[in-house]
Amino acid sequence: MIILASGSPRRHELLQKLCKNFVVEVSDAQEVQSAESPKSLAVENAVRKAQSVAKKNPDAVVIGADTIVVLDGEIFGKPDGSSSAEKMLARLANRKHEVITGLAICAGGKIFTAAEATEVFFGEMNAAEIRDYVATGEPLDKSGSYALQGGATKFIEKIHGDWSNVVGLPVYRLRMLARTAGIDFNAT
């Protein structure tokens, strides 16, 4: 059995590109807020999520993921509300930032990890555009206060790297990690 340790509908949809037979069990893991680097933070939180679910399902293959947005070394998590979202987006305007997803697979008592980083370039956004976007509610539960696949598309000038990583689950990197772990998603 394969379990996705995330309630994110975006991750669910992306995992369906690799695997048709899986279930979702939302992790109750406590996330850490700091680590030696943004990549290690994302990986640590992915491991915590996967291990939390794997403890209850020791015979399953459990996939955990954690996505963060990083601007000039500062980690942007989910906003604390509309004002916080507007401030984050204003800081991202006309700038390049990184989206990092940590991945963890718990299988057979072992943990396999990886991280994917994608550069995202935001173009110009004025205060009214940001306010209108935040008013949709979409940014309020997203790291960095935006969704590439949603209304923020109009602000993104370009990306370098895996677009699925920005959505929340780097499909290619997960496929390669599964291969390293000896897991064939098509066989389950």
Side-chain angles (χ1 to χ4, degrees):
M1 173 170 55
I2 295 175
I3 302 173
L4 174 62
S6 172
S8 164
R10 295 158 301 280
R11 287 191 179 125
H12 183 274
E13 184 179 313
L14 288 168
L15 184 56
Q16 286 180 320
K17 310 272 187 227
L18 288 176
C19 174
K20 298 296 180 206
N21 298 314
F22 67 93
V23 296
V24 170
E25 186 174 325
V26 179
S27 171
D28 59 2
Q30 265 308 51
E31 293 186 26
V32 294
Q33 302 302 315
S34 63
E36 68 182 44
S37 71
K39 277 187 182 178
S40 61
L41 177 69
V43 169
E44 173 65 23
N45 283 327
V47 168
R48 286 171 172 259
K49 291 173 183 179
Q51 284 181 323
S52 164
V53 172
K55 284 178 187 171
K56 301 173 210 162
N57 302 279
D59 296 329
V61 172
V62 181
I63 300 165
D66 188 65
T67 302
I68 58 174
V69 171
V70 182
L71 177 67
D72 297 332
E74 182 182 348
I75 297 168
F76 287 25
K78 294 177 183 175
D80 293 334
S82 296
S83 177
S84 174
E86 287 177 22
K87 288 176 186 169
M88 279 188 207
L89 289 166
R91 290 188 57 203
L92 294 173
N94 292 307
R95 305 279 311 274
K96 171 185 79 169
H97 63 275
E98 225 179 7
V99 176
I100 300 170
T101 300
L103 293 172
I105 296 176
C106 291
K110 296 180 181 174
I111 301 169
F112 302 88
T113 64
E116 184 69 26
T118 303
E119 291 181 332
V120 179
F121 295 79
F122 268 35
E124 184 180 311
M125 301 183 274
N126 64 42
E129 291 171 320
I130 292 171
R131 223 177 5 262
D132 289 347
Y133 176 53
V134 172
T136 68
E138 180 180 89
L140 300 179
D141 68 341
K142 311 283 188 297
S143 292
S145 301
Y146 75 91
L148 169 80
Q149 74 283 6
T153 300
K154 62 183 168 264
F155 303 130
I156 298 170
E157 184 178 337
K158 60 186 170 184
I159 66 169
H160 288 160
D162 183 348
W163 69 270
S164 67
N165 179 48
V166 183
V167 177
L169 191 70
V171 175
Y172 180 80
R173 179 71 57 218
L174 179 58
R175 186 171 70 89
M176 293 297 100
L177 184 61
R179 184 175 286 172
T180 298
I183 297 161
D184 180 359
F185 286 132
N186 295 319
T188 57

